[in-house]
Each structure stands twice: as structure tokens, then as C-alpha cells.
Amino acid sequence: MSYPKRFLFLMPTSSIAGGVETWLDEIYEYLTTHQFEVLVGLLRGQQFNQPERYRAVHPQLKTIEVDGRGCNREGRVRALMRCIEGVKPDIVIPLGIADAYEAGIRSKQKGLDTRLVIHAQGNLEPMLADLRSYRDGIDQVICPGELTKRVLINWGGFASDRVTHIPNGANQPKCSSQRPISSGKAKPIRIGYIGRLTTLDKRSPDLITLYQELEKLNLNYQLDIVGDGSCFAQLNEALGKAPQVKLHGALSREVVYQEIFPNLDVLILLSSSEAFGIVIVEALMHGVIPVTSRYVGFYAEGLVKENETGLSFPVGDMAGAAQQIQRLAEDGDLRHRLSSNGQVHGQPYTWENSLTSWNITLEQVMARPPLLSSSPLPKIPTTTGRLEQLGIPASVIDGLRRLRRFLLGSPIPPGGEECPLFYRHHSESLLEEISQVLKDLDTAE
């Protein structure tokens, strides 16, 4: 008797809406309808990671919790290991959780028949450094972005057959007829930002400067900001009373497709780095013109072709971004041409194509035995407390802290991070080296 294959995704809950969250919804539905068993481990932390918020927006997911409250790095790794070893998945896929790399590898070293597959969601230098550090224990890396694949093979030393490029997809527009593109100076040009409201890679506070630059141009516009994240309060404080701006917060994909995209002319993207950019493809399919930063990965992926399917500006140059929007506001022919070209360019990027490729790759990974590394695991600096200083074994410390959490809560903060996206111990020289590699490999061919 054959049993269904089991997949475990490990997901932070600090953000409830964004490209990764959309992707997880799509692949969960695809795999469950193809007779796979899928479980999502949701992280719980003391401040940012709140599983109940995530479940409220994604109620269709079958979930369990990974409780990292009050833990240092070793405690978090052990919490993730308990989840992995309890589920016993054929494949475990962390989604932006650096601690899960070691948890997956250590579980395999203990004899668990599982494979560690990484969904490499970005081109941030410390993320790429982490992947190289754990390279010998990672069974497969699947990259939405072509540039990520190039870097991991050419710089990271991954075997080419262990790195796969699978672009993300998008759903077709829900509305049968789109509202006509705004034309004439009497009508406002309609600008939208849709995504996570964070600082590091998304550069969401640049929206404040963009607003100031648009005001200098005396442009007739409206700006809709859709999303949630750590920058929401800052943006609301700066822009919440501006009559041209509306902050919607997080909206469901259904609402975005029915009420937001059909009423936009321009999508603004501010990122310093993008692995792919699902929202760009969604905009293209809706005939909305991307005006994007020339983020790391811009040229390699080729989603936006300058003056063909969209316009661009240097990262952080909000005066340049405002001027590109002004060009579109004043040139109806340009708007029509870019919108029409974009709709054609976006058509191949469907979820069906993307998820079919994922299915094929996951089947290939399951057909291989787990990759067991003989290399020592990297030594990651971690906070230590009195128990560590006394030389008490890590397993005993972990049990004592979990008992304290059960009886008294978690009075000791976890060091300001809850299962970080990446580690911060890498040297500046290494990060500069990776930055240069990214620039060298970010080409159209």
C-alpha cells in the first residue's frame, strides 16, 4: 500500500500578505488537489510572529505551531527540529527562516528520511551567504529568480543539478473588462503600491519621499497603498491625512484583483532586491504599467523591459520615479503602448506553468536519497545566558526554558529576533564580495 507524500512548509507569521504568502496559498492548493499531504508550520514569537493573525487571513491551510518564545538560537533550532521530526515529512521547505536550515540538516543526521528544499526568495547578500554556509546539507534549491540561480552556482559552489529556476506565476484578471486607462490632465493618474511594508528589501518608507516628489511636480494623481508590515504605522503617520493617498492595509487577493488592479494605471515597486516579483506579473496581466526600481535581479529576470513593458529608475531615486510617472501622465500613447505590450509579455507567467514545474522538481528530489553532509555545520554566534555559562547541556537548558515558559510565560526577551530571515555575523568584506557578484551576473543574458 502506498502512502501520500508529505510536505512540511515552515512559515514566519510576522507578515500576513505578500508575494511569499500568495505563493504558499497557490502551491498548497495545487499539492493538496494532487493527492499530496501538506502541513504548514507557523512560527510563534513574543512580538512579531502571531499564528492566529496568519490563520485568520489564510484559513484554508492545515497548520501546526512552532513556538520559539523566550529561546535563543539553539532553542529555536530545537523547536523547529521537534516540528520536523514530529511530522516526518518527505520534504521540508523553509520559507525565509535561517534557523530551519540547521534544523533540517540535524534532523537528517539523526536518521530522519527527509529532504531539505530551500525556496530562495531573494538576493539579499546575507541570505546568499547563509545558503553557501549550509550548501552541503541542502538537497535542492528552487529559485524564482534567474539571478539567484546564477549566483548560487557560480559563486556559491552548488552543483548545477541541485539548483532549479522556476519563475513564479500569477492568476488571470478576475474582471472581464478593465476600466479604461486614465487620460488627460483633468483625470488623476492612478498609482498603486501592493506588497509588504518593510524597510530592508522593500524600501516602503520611500513612499513618503515619492509623495513629496509628486507634490513638487504638481501632478494630478491618486496613490493606493495595499499591504501590511512593520512600516505601516510610519506610513500612516506621514501619509494618512493626505487626500491623494489611501492606505488600505492588507487586502485579500480576491479584493486586490476585483477592486484595486482594475482601477490602477501604474504599479510602483521600490525594492532594492527581488527574486521575482509576483506583483509585477499581476500588474502586466491587468494592463497596469510597472514603474520599478532597477533592483538586484531586474535585468536577469527581464519582467520589465525598459520603454517596452514598463519604466524604471535607480533604487532610492524618488525624484526619478516621480518623473517617470509624470511621463506616463502626460503621454497617452506611451501609456497605451506599454500597457498593451505588458499584457502580452505577462501571459506565459501562469501559476499552472510554475506549479507544474515545482511538482516535477519535487518528484525528482523525492526519488533521490537525502543528502547527508560530512562537513561540520557552520558556527553561528548566539546569545548565551546563565545556564549556558554554567556548562549545562543544551538539551537540558532547552527543557528548562520550555518548562519556565509553560509555568511563567517568557519573561526574558529572545534577543530582538524571532527566527531571523538571515544571520548577521557575516563580514563586511564577504557581503561586499557577494554584492559585486550580483552586479556582475545581473545581465539580460
PDB file of all heavy atoms in Angstrom, residues 377-405:
ATOM      1  N   LEU A 377      28.795  21.628  10.631  1.00  0.00           N
ATOM      2  CA  LEU A 377      27.860  22.741  10.487  1.00  0.00           C
ATOM      3  C   LEU A 377      28.562  24.047  10.843  1.00  0.00           C
ATOM      4  O   LEU A 377      29.453  24.070  11.701  1.00  0.00           O
ATOM      5  CB  LEU A 377      26.656  22.521  11.398  1.00  0.00           C
ATOM      6  CG  LEU A 377      25.730  21.371  10.993  1.00  0.00           C
ATOM      7  CD1 LEU A 377      24.743  21.070  12.109  1.00  0.00           C
ATOM      8  CD2 LEU A 377      25.001  21.698   9.704  1.00  0.00           C
ATOM      9  N   PRO A 378      28.181  25.134  10.188  1.00  0.00           N
ATOM     10  CA  PRO A 378      28.826  26.419  10.500  1.00  0.00           C
ATOM     11  C   PRO A 378      28.546  26.843  11.930  1.00  0.00           C
ATOM     12  O   PRO A 378      27.484  26.550  12.490  1.00  0.00           O
ATOM     13  CB  PRO A 378      28.189  27.384   9.497  1.00  0.00           C
ATOM     14  CG  PRO A 378      26.910  26.742   9.083  1.00  0.00           C
ATOM     15  CD  PRO A 378      27.154  25.267   9.143  1.00  0.00           C
ATOM     16  N   LYS A 379      29.508  27.519  12.529  1.00  0.00           N
ATOM     17  CA  LYS A 379      29.339  28.026  13.888  1.00  0.00           C
ATOM     18  C   LYS A 379      28.734  29.422  13.815  1.00  0.00           C
ATOM     19  O   LYS A 379      29.358  30.347  13.304  1.00  0.00           O
ATOM     20  CB  LYS A 379      30.683  28.037  14.618  1.00  0.00           C
ATOM     21  CG  LYS A 379      31.252  26.639  14.844  1.00  0.00           C
ATOM     22  CD  LYS A 379      32.482  26.680  15.731  1.00  0.00           C
ATOM     23  CE  LYS A 379      33.033  25.282  15.972  1.00  0.00           C
ATOM     24  NZ  LYS A 379      32.047  24.391  16.639  1.00  0.00           N
ATOM     25  N   ILE A 380      27.503  29.552  14.307  1.00  0.00           N
ATOM     26  CA  ILE A 380      26.776  30.811  14.259  1.00  0.00           C
ATOM     27  C   ILE A 380      26.796  31.437  15.651  1.00  0.00           C
ATOM     28  O   ILE A 380      26.395  30.782  16.621  1.00  0.00           O
ATOM     29  CB  ILE A 380      25.319  30.593  13.805  1.00  0.00           C
ATOM     30  CG1 ILE A 380      25.266  29.740  12.535  1.00  0.00           C
ATOM     31  CG2 ILE A 380      24.616  31.929  13.609  1.00  0.00           C
ATOM     32  CD1 ILE A 380      25.925  30.357  11.327  1.00  0.00           C
ATOM     33  N   PRO A 381      27.243  32.663  15.776  1.00  0.00           N
ATOM     34  CA  PRO A 381      27.216  33.306  17.105  1.00  0.00           C
ATOM     35  C   PRO A 381      25.797  33.353  17.663  1.00  0.00           C
ATOM     36  O   PRO A 381      24.831  33.572  16.923  1.00  0.00           O
ATOM     37  CB  PRO A 381      27.744  34.718  16.816  1.00  0.00           C
ATOM     38  CG  PRO A 381      28.499  34.610  15.540  1.00  0.00           C
ATOM     39  CD  PRO A 381      27.811  33.542  14.749  1.00  0.00           C
ATOM     40  N   THR A 382      25.674  33.138  18.958  1.00  0.00           N
ATOM     41  CA  THR A 382      24.349  33.140  19.570  1.00  0.00           C
ATOM     42  C   THR A 382      24.438  33.728  20.971  1.00  0.00           C
ATOM     43  O   THR A 382      25.508  33.761  21.580  1.00  0.00           O
ATOM     44  CB  THR A 382      23.771  31.706  19.646  1.00  0.00           C
ATOM     45  OG1 THR A 382      22.419  31.756  20.094  1.00  0.00           O
ATOM     46  CG2 THR A 382      24.593  30.836  20.576  1.00  0.00           C
ATOM     47  N   THR A 383      23.321  34.229  21.456  1.00  0.00           N
ATOM     48  CA  THR A 383      23.299  34.776  22.813  1.00  0.00           C
ATOM     49  C   THR A 383      23.368  33.640  23.835  1.00  0.00           C
ATOM     50  O   THR A 383      22.838  32.553  23.607  1.00  0.00           O
ATOM     51  CB  THR A 383      22.017  35.585  23.048  1.00  0.00           C
ATOM     52  OG1 THR A 383      20.879  34.746  22.763  1.00  0.00           O
ATOM     53  CG2 THR A 383      21.975  36.801  22.145  1.00  0.00           C
ATOM     54  N   THR A 384      24.033  33.894  24.924  1.00  0.00           N
ATOM     55  CA  THR A 384      24.127  32.900  25.984  1.00  0.00           C
ATOM     56  C   THR A 384      23.627  33.505  27.289  1.00  0.00           C
ATOM     57  O   THR A 384      23.761  34.705  27.533  1.00  0.00           O
ATOM     58  CB  THR A 384      25.578  32.416  26.176  1.00  0.00           C
ATOM     59  OG1 THR A 384      26.415  33.538  26.483  1.00  0.00           O
ATOM     60  CG2 THR A 384      26.094  31.745  24.918  1.00  0.00           C
ATOM     61  N   GLY A 385      23.048  32.667  28.114  1.00  0.00           N
ATOM     62  CA  GLY A 385      22.572  33.096  29.421  1.00  0.00           C
ATOM     63  C   GLY A 385      23.333  32.402  30.534  1.00  0.00           C
ATOM     64  O   GLY A 385      24.357  31.744  30.307  1.00  0.00           O
ATOM     65  N   ARG A 386      22.816  32.517  31.737  1.00  0.00           N
ATOM     66  CA  ARG A 386      23.499  31.942  32.889  1.00  0.00           C
ATOM     67  C   ARG A 386      23.603  30.417  32.785  1.00  0.00           C
ATOM     68  O   ARG A 386      24.599  29.817  33.204  1.00  0.00           O
ATOM     69  CB  ARG A 386      22.762  32.341  34.164  1.00  0.00           C
ATOM     70  CG  ARG A 386      22.945  33.803  34.553  1.00  0.00           C
ATOM     71  CD  ARG A 386      22.066  34.179  35.728  1.00  0.00           C
ATOM     72  NE  ARG A 386      20.645  34.087  35.391  1.00  0.00           N
ATOM     73  CZ  ARG A 386      19.658  34.309  36.259  1.00  0.00           C
ATOM     74  NH1 ARG A 386      19.939  34.610  37.517  1.00  0.00           N
ATOM     75  NH2 ARG A 386      18.399  34.222  35.881  1.00  0.00           N
ATOM     76  N   LEU A 387      22.574  29.778  32.224  1.00  0.00           N
ATOM     77  CA  LEU A 387      22.597  28.321  32.143  1.00  0.00           C
ATOM     78  C   LEU A 387      23.720  27.849  31.221  1.00  0.00           C
ATOM     79  O   LEU A 387      24.413  26.868  31.524  1.00  0.00           O
ATOM     80  CB  LEU A 387      21.245  27.810  31.650  1.00  0.00           C
ATOM     81  CG  LEU A 387      20.048  28.104  32.567  1.00  0.00           C
ATOM     82  CD1 LEU A 387      18.755  27.599  31.934  1.00  0.00           C
ATOM     83  CD2 LEU A 387      20.247  27.468  33.944  1.00  0.00           C
ATOM     84  N   GLU A 388      23.899  28.539  30.070  1.00  0.00           N
ATOM     85  CA  GLU A 388      24.991  28.179  29.162  1.00  0.00           C
ATOM     86  C   GLU A 388      26.341  28.389  29.832  1.00  0.00           C
ATOM     87  O   GLU A 388      27.272  27.593  29.685  1.00  0.00           O
ATOM     88  CB  GLU A 388      24.920  29.002  27.876  1.00  0.00           C
ATOM     89  CG  GLU A 388      23.838  28.587  26.898  1.00  0.00           C
ATOM     90  CD  GLU A 388      22.497  29.243  27.180  1.00  0.00           C
ATOM     91  OE1 GLU A 388      22.419  30.039  28.151  1.00  0.00           O
ATOM     92  OE2 GLU A 388      21.544  28.976  26.435  1.00  0.00           O
ATOM     93  N   GLN A 389      26.464  29.500  30.571  1.00  0.00           N
ATOM     94  CA  GLN A 389      27.730  29.818  31.228  1.00  0.00           C
ATOM     95  C   GLN A 389      28.084  28.805  32.312  1.00  0.00           C
ATOM     96  O   GLN A 389      29.255  28.615  32.642  1.00  0.00           O
ATOM     97  CB  GLN A 389      27.661  31.229  31.808  1.00  0.00           C
ATOM     98  CG  GLN A 389      27.565  32.311  30.733  1.00  0.00           C
ATOM     99  CD  GLN A 389      27.186  33.676  31.283  1.00  0.00           C
ATOM    100  OE1 GLN A 389      27.091  33.856  32.501  1.00  0.00           O
ATOM    101  NE2 GLN A 389      26.964  34.631  30.394  1.00  0.00           N
ATOM    102  N   LEU A 390      27.080  28.121  32.847  1.00  0.00           N
ATOM    103  CA  LEU A 390      27.322  27.083  33.838  1.00  0.00           C
ATOM    104  C   LEU A 390      27.716  25.754  33.207  1.00  0.00           C
ATOM    105  O   LEU A 390      28.050  24.804  33.928  1.00  0.00           O
ATOM    106  CB  LEU A 390      26.071  26.880  34.709  1.00  0.00           C
ATOM    107  CG  LEU A 390      25.722  28.026  35.662  1.00  0.00           C
ATOM    108  CD1 LEU A 390      24.368  27.784  36.300  1.00  0.00           C
ATOM    109  CD2 LEU A 390      26.803  28.168  36.735  1.00  0.00           C
ATOM    110  N   GLY A 391      27.671  25.686  31.877  1.00  0.00           N
ATOM    111  CA  GLY A 391      28.064  24.467  31.180  1.00  0.00           C
ATOM    112  C   GLY A 391      27.007  23.389  31.157  1.00  0.00           C
ATOM    113  O   GLY A 391      27.311  22.218  30.899  1.00  0.00           O
ATOM    114  N   ILE A 392      25.759  23.745  31.401  1.00  0.00           N
ATOM    115  CA  ILE A 392      24.669  22.764  31.368  1.00  0.00           C
ATOM    116  C   ILE A 392      24.410  22.348  29.923  1.00  0.00           C
ATOM    117  O   ILE A 392      24.408  23.188  29.023  1.00  0.00           O
ATOM    118  CB  ILE A 392      23.397  23.373  31.997  1.00  0.00           C
ATOM    119  CG1 ILE A 392      23.673  23.715  33.467  1.00  0.00           C
ATOM    120  CG2 ILE A 392      22.216  22.423  31.881  1.00  0.00           C
ATOM    121  CD1 ILE A 392      22.529  24.460  34.132  1.00  0.00           C
ATOM    122  N   PRO A 393      24.189  21.077  29.636  1.00  0.00           N
ATOM    123  CA  PRO A 393      23.944  20.630  28.262  1.00  0.00           C
ATOM    124  C   PRO A 393      22.771  21.365  27.605  1.00  0.00           C
ATOM    125  O   PRO A 393      21.779  21.701  28.268  1.00  0.00           O
ATOM    126  CB  PRO A 393      23.643  19.136  28.425  1.00  0.00           C
ATOM    127  CG  PRO A 393      24.321  18.756  29.704  1.00  0.00           C
ATOM    128  CD  PRO A 393      24.223  19.955  30.593  1.00  0.00           C
ATOM    129  N   ALA A 394      22.890  21.574  26.294  1.00  0.00           N
ATOM    130  CA  ALA A 394      21.873  22.344  25.567  1.00  0.00           C
ATOM    131  C   ALA A 394      20.496  21.700  25.665  1.00  0.00           C
ATOM    132  O   ALA A 394      19.480  22.401  25.745  1.00  0.00           O
ATOM    133  CB  ALA A 394      22.287  22.487  24.102  1.00  0.00           C
ATOM    134  N   SER A 395      20.439  20.360  25.663  1.00  0.00           N
ATOM    135  CA  SER A 395      19.132  19.694  25.736  1.00  0.00           C
ATOM    136  C   SER A 395      18.447  19.962  27.069  1.00  0.00           C
ATOM    137  O   SER A 395      17.223  20.128  27.132  1.00  0.00           O
ATOM    138  CB  SER A 395      19.307  18.187  25.514  1.00  0.00           C
ATOM    139  OG  SER A 395      20.170  17.637  26.503  1.00  0.00           O
ATOM    140  N   VAL A 396      19.232  20.016  28.141  1.00  0.00           N
ATOM    141  CA  VAL A 396      18.667  20.291  29.461  1.00  0.00           C
ATOM    142  C   VAL A 396      18.200  21.741  29.548  1.00  0.00           C
ATOM    143  O   VAL A 396      17.113  22.044  30.068  1.00  0.00           O
ATOM    144  CB  VAL A 396      19.701  19.980  30.570  1.00  0.00           C
ATOM    145  CG1 VAL A 396      19.140  20.347  31.945  1.00  0.00           C
ATOM    146  CG2 VAL A 396      20.106  18.512  30.522  1.00  0.00           C
ATOM    147  N   ILE A 397      19.022  22.659  29.020  1.00  0.00           N
ATOM    148  CA  ILE A 397      18.652  24.076  29.015  1.00  0.00           C
ATOM    149  C   ILE A 397      17.352  24.283  28.255  1.00  0.00           C
ATOM    150  O   ILE A 397      16.458  25.017  28.704  1.00  0.00           O
ATOM    151  CB  ILE A 397      19.783  24.925  28.386  1.00  0.00           C
ATOM    152  CG1 ILE A 397      21.017  24.896  29.278  1.00  0.00           C
ATOM    153  CG2 ILE A 397      19.316  26.366  28.164  1.00  0.00           C
ATOM    154  CD1 ILE A 397      22.223  25.572  28.662  1.00  0.00           C
ATOM    155  N   ASP A 398      17.239  23.627  27.103  1.00  0.00           N
ATOM    156  CA  ASP A 398      16.029  23.768  26.289  1.00  0.00           C
ATOM    157  C   ASP A 398      14.808  23.298  27.073  1.00  0.00           C
ATOM    158  O   ASP A 398      13.761  23.959  27.079  1.00  0.00           O
ATOM    159  CB  ASP A 398      16.185  22.968  24.996  1.00  0.00           C
ATOM    160  CG  ASP A 398      15.005  23.131  24.063  1.00  0.00           C
ATOM    161  OD1 ASP A 398      14.579  24.274  23.838  1.00  0.00           O
ATOM    162  OD2 ASP A 398      14.497  22.114  23.559  1.00  0.00           O
ATOM    163  N   GLY A 399      14.921  22.181  27.768  1.00  0.00           N
ATOM    164  CA  GLY A 399      13.802  21.680  28.549  1.00  0.00           C
ATOM    165  C   GLY A 399      13.432  22.611  29.694  1.00  0.00           C
ATOM    166  O   GLY A 399      12.251  22.839  29.958  1.00  0.00           O
ATOM    167  N   LEU A 400      14.436  23.164  30.370  1.00  0.00           N
ATOM    168  CA  LEU A 400      14.166  24.078  31.472  1.00  0.00           C
ATOM    169  C   LEU A 400      13.462  25.345  30.990  1.00  0.00           C
ATOM    170  O   LEU A 400      12.523  25.839  31.637  1.00  0.00           O
ATOM    171  CB  LEU A 400      15.477  24.433  32.176  1.00  0.00           C
ATOM    172  CG  LEU A 400      16.137  23.311  32.989  1.00  0.00           C
ATOM    173  CD1 LEU A 400      17.515  23.744  33.469  1.00  0.00           C
ATOM    174  CD2 LEU A 400      15.250  22.912  34.169  1.00  0.00           C
ATOM    175  N   ARG A 401      13.893  25.871  29.860  1.00  0.00           N
ATOM    176  CA  ARG A 401      13.284  27.101  29.357  1.00  0.00           C
ATOM    177  C   ARG A 401      11.868  26.861  28.856  1.00  0.00           C
ATOM    178  O   ARG A 401      10.991  27.719  28.997  1.00  0.00           O
ATOM    179  CB  ARG A 401      14.166  27.704  28.266  1.00  0.00           C
ATOM    180  CG  ARG A 401      15.424  28.342  28.854  1.00  0.00           C
ATOM    181  CD  ARG A 401      16.307  28.977  27.823  1.00  0.00           C
ATOM    182  NE  ARG A 401      17.399  29.692  28.490  1.00  0.00           N
ATOM    183  CZ  ARG A 401      18.585  29.920  27.942  1.00  0.00           C
ATOM    184  NH1 ARG A 401      18.843  29.509  26.717  1.00  0.00           N
ATOM    185  NH2 ARG A 401      19.515  30.574  28.619  1.00  0.00           N
ATOM    186  N   ARG A 402      11.629  25.709  28.283  1.00  0.00           N
ATOM    187  CA  ARG A 402      10.264  25.396  27.857  1.00  0.00           C
ATOM    188  C   ARG A 402       9.349  25.231  29.064  1.00  0.00           C
ATOM    189  O   ARG A 402       8.185  25.652  29.044  1.00  0.00           O
ATOM    190  CB  ARG A 402      10.266  24.132  26.999  1.00  0.00           C
ATOM    191  CG  ARG A 402      10.906  24.343  25.621  1.00  0.00           C
ATOM    192  CD  ARG A 402      11.227  23.026  24.948  1.00  0.00           C
ATOM    193  NE  ARG A 402      10.048  22.204  24.758  1.00  0.00           N
ATOM    194  CZ  ARG A 402      10.093  20.880  24.607  1.00  0.00           C
ATOM    195  NH1 ARG A 402      11.240  20.232  24.642  1.00  0.00           N
ATOM    196  NH2 ARG A 402       8.967  20.211  24.412  1.00  0.00           N
ATOM    197  N   LEU A 403       9.880  24.604  30.144  1.00  0.00           N
ATOM    198  CA  LEU A 403       9.098  24.463  31.363  1.00  0.00           C
ATOM    199  C   LEU A 403       8.799  25.826  31.966  1.00  0.00           C
ATOM    200  O   LEU A 403       7.665  26.088  32.402  1.00  0.00           O
ATOM    201  CB  LEU A 403       9.855  23.594  32.368  1.00  0.00           C
ATOM    202  CG  LEU A 403       9.179  23.395  33.732  1.00  0.00           C
ATOM    203  CD1 LEU A 403       7.842  22.684  33.567  1.00  0.00           C
ATOM    204  CD2 LEU A 403      10.096  22.610  34.664  1.00  0.00           C
ATOM    205  N   ARG A 404       9.798  26.720  31.988  1.00  0.00           N
ATOM    206  CA  ARG A 404       9.576  28.065  32.503  1.00  0.00           C
ATOM    207  C   ARG A 404       8.505  28.784  31.687  1.00  0.00           C
ATOM    208  O   ARG A 404       7.638  29.479  32.236  1.00  0.00           O
ATOM    209  CB  ARG A 404      10.888  28.864  32.445  1.00  0.00           C
ATOM    210  CG  ARG A 404      10.757  30.306  32.947  1.00  0.00           C
ATOM    211  CD  ARG A 404      12.010  31.109  32.622  1.00  0.00           C
ATOM    212  NE  ARG A 404      12.188  31.216  31.182  1.00  0.00           N
ATOM    213  CZ  ARG A 404      13.324  31.610  30.603  1.00  0.00           C
ATOM    214  NH1 ARG A 404      14.376  31.900  31.346  1.00  0.00           N
ATOM    215  NH2 ARG A 404      13.405  31.696  29.288  1.00  0.00           N
ATOM    216  N   ARG A 405       8.572  28.621  30.369  1.00  0.00           N
ATOM    217  CA  ARG A 405       7.575  29.263  29.511  1.00  0.00           C
ATOM    218  C   ARG A 405       6.176  28.741  29.822  1.00  0.00           C
ATOM    219  O   ARG A 405       5.205  29.495  29.846  1.00  0.00           O
ATOM    220  CB  ARG A 405       7.928  29.014  28.037  1.00  0.00           C
ATOM    221  CG  ARG A 405       7.036  29.738  27.047  1.00  0.00           C
ATOM    222  CD  ARG A 405       7.546  29.521  25.627  1.00  0.00           C
ATOM    223  NE  ARG A 405       7.441  28.139  25.209  1.00  0.00           N
ATOM    224  CZ  ARG A 405       8.169  27.593  24.237  1.00  0.00           C
ATOM    225  NH1 ARG A 405       9.087  28.311  23.600  1.00  0.00           N
ATOM    226  NH2 ARG A 405       8.014  26.322  23.907  1.00  0.00           N
TER     227      ARG A 405
END
